[in-house]
Amino acid sequence: LALVMTGGEPQAALSRIGETLLACAIVLIVGHLPMPGQRGGTVRARLEAAGGAAHAYLAHVLSGSDDRAARWRLRREAYRTLAEARTAVALAAAELPALARHSAGADEIAAVLERLVDTTTACAVHLDDSGRLTPRHTERLAALRDELTERRERAGLRLPELPLAG
């Protein structure tokens, strides 16, 4: 731009400044333009998938099934979907405040889901060792289920109802 101005073409410099400002405006608008369905949609979808995986894992453990391979597969799936949900929550939190507010409370739900899956894993280990779950295990799972239900309702998130053994 300085070379154009020193070369004696001030109108070319003004034209170049106008084009640069237009390009900056386009980049800013398109870079922060919310895409249809993206307002917290990715976070909600990932949390719903994590909730579904946690539900399947918990239901399998509470059924008392001896199928360890299925239990391990369900545990891996639960932790994988939780990691994806955590990544989506972190990405949403880094966005502009106007977009980030659509995923408010999602981090708390992910934390409760993570504690639920961790507790389910502890129950699965106990089940492998002793062959049955104690009332202490089911009470802890019930408390986590209630906390998850409360946070889910506050955030307006659809997650499957979590089962508990009698």
Side-chain angles (χ1 to χ4, degrees):
L1 199 56
L3 289 175
V4 170
M5 290 185 74
T6 57
E9 297 255 2
Q11 290 177 344
L14 291 176
S15 172
R16 189 70 176 148
I17 289 173
E19 291 170 358
T20 302
L21 289 175
L22 179 64
C24 289
I26 290 171
V27 167
L28 286 174
I29 290 171
V30 172
H32 295 292
L33 185 68
M35 295 299 179
Q38 289 292 331
R39 292 187 144 177
T42 302
V43 173
R44 289 183 182 277
R46 299 293 170 122
L47 281 175
E48 288 171 6
H55 176 271
Y57 182 40
L58 178 61
H60 181 78
V61 169
L62 291 176
S63 73
S65 172
D66 289 333
D67 188 1
R68 290 184 183 190
R71 190 176 311 145
W72 293 338
R73 181 181 47 76
L74 290 168
R75 182 184 67 217
R76 281 192 307 272
E77 179 69 15
Y79 279 115
R80 184 187 61 75
T81 56
L82 270 171
E84 290 173 355
R86 284 280 192 187
T87 301
V89 168
L91 184 62
E95 290 184 358
L96 292 175
L99 299 175
R101 75 170 175 258
H102 293 287
S103 61
D107 195 36
E108 296 171 0
I109 293 173
V112 174
L113 272 173
E114 195 166 6
R115 287 197 320 263
L116 180 70
V117 172
D118 288 344
T119 304
T120 304
T121 299
C123 290
V125 168
H126 183 78
L127 186 63
D128 286 345
D129 290 344
S130 69
R132 64 181 181 79
L133 294 177
T134 65
R136 183 177 60 94
H137 289 101
T138 55
E139 287 170 10
R140 179 67 181 135
L141 288 171
L144 285 169
R145 181 199 56 189
D146 294 343
E147 182 181 353
L148 181 61
T149 300
E150 177 187 325
R151 291 183 190 271
R152 175 188 70 197
E153 288 172 359
R154 249 190 281 151
L157 187 69
R158 293 182 326 265
L159 292 175
E161 288 299 317
L162 298 173
L164 280 183

